[in-house]
Amino acid sequence: MRNSQGGKGPMAGLTSFILAVGRRAGLVLLALIFGFIAATAPAAEPSVTLSERAEVGFESLSTADGLANNSLMALAQDATGFIWIGTLGGLNRFDGYAVRSFHHDPHDPGSLPNGFVRALHPARDGGMWLGTHTAGVAYYDPRFDRFTTLGAGPDGLGHVQVYGLTDDGGDGVWVATVAGLDHVSRDLKVLERVRPGQDGFPTGYVFSVFR
């Protein structure tokens, strides 16, 4: 079930929110699992199944609901509760009621840099990091509703194809690409590079990274 308009904000009233991606008939659909758990429930309880929870409902989102594309690549939740959805055809933000889409505009340098979004990671300051297929890494600043981008090059990433992201424990992010790892600051400056063959780092693409 979708949240009613009586909510007080993104995912209002949800104390448990789980996301799952399922494939059916060649399309990738977003399944939202809403778990309403009493706030006064004891902190240390035995593990319970979804069927044992109070109110559990399932809902699918697709292009009919506003998704940019039915093929999903990445999911993340930001500090305000918005769910971000990276697809093959654009970026989406779901507030529990409606879907907002972000697309690349070649005439707007502050738009989404590339529609193929492979990776998402929430930033500590409320923004969102994203990794793309052909444009490198980007940061979405909610204060200005704009994207800033770092591509490949001598002062940039080792490659534009980004597969994974994780924070560095501060405001920066580690970026996994087909050329290795890059440590990037909040203002999109490369702080450190790790390449195949360096200090025993193995040869091959880096598809994911965790801290």
Side-chain angles (χ1 to χ4, degrees):
M1 65 183 77
R2 182 166 296 177
N3 292 355
S4 69
Q5 293 294 337
K8 296 182 180 180
M11 306 298 170
L14 292 180
T15 55
S16 178
F17 188 79
I18 306 172
L19 285 165
V21 177
R23 185 178 297 273
R24 180 180 180 185
L27 295 179
V28 180
L29 301 178
L30 175 67
L32 306 180
I33 306 174
F34 300 89
F36 294 80
I37 311 299
T40 57
E45 286 188 347
S47 298
V48 295
T49 64
L50 284 176
S51 61
E52 295 174 311
R53 295 179 182 270
E55 296 181 23
V56 177
F58 297 86
E59 180 179 354
S60 294
L61 293 178
S62 69
T63 52
D65 303 292
L67 285 186
N69 191 284
N70 279 332
S71 295
L72 276 62
M73 302 301 295
L75 298 168
Q77 185 173 25
D78 67 21
T80 58
F82 289 116
I83 300 299
W84 291 80
I85 308 163
T87 79
L88 292 180
L91 179 66
N92 297 109
R93 189 179 71 186
F94 182 56
D95 64 4
Y97 314 121
V99 177
R100 179 185 175 187
S101 292
F102 298 85
H103 296 280
H104 174 62
D105 180 352
H107 303 293
D108 182 1
S111 70
L112 182 69
N114 177 236
F116 191 160
V117 180
R118 287 186 182 274
L120 294 166
H121 191 80
R124 293 182 59 181
D125 60 3
M128 182 63 63
W129 290 100
L130 55 144
T132 72
H133 182 63
T134 62
V137 66
Y139 172 82
Y140 172 77
D141 192 331
R143 298 171 302 169
F144 306 106
D145 195 30
R146 307 288 285 173
F147 295 86
T148 51
T149 307
L150 177 66
D155 297 321
L157 303 177
H159 201 284
V160 292
Q161 288 186 26
V162 176
Y163 285 93
L165 298 167
T166 193
D167 66 87
D168 63 0
D171 295 328
V173 67
W174 281 95
V175 183
T177 78
V178 301
L181 288 171
D182 292 286
H183 185 194
V184 178
S185 66
R186 166 61 187 81
D187 58 352
L188 281 87
K189 306 293 184 184
V190 176
L191 303 175
E192 186 178 359
R193 296 178 173 86
V194 183
R195 297 289 179 260
Q198 175 184 338
D199 299 324
F201 193 80
T203 300
Y205 295 179
V206 181
F207 288 106
S208 63
V209 57
F210 297 93
R211 185 184 66 85

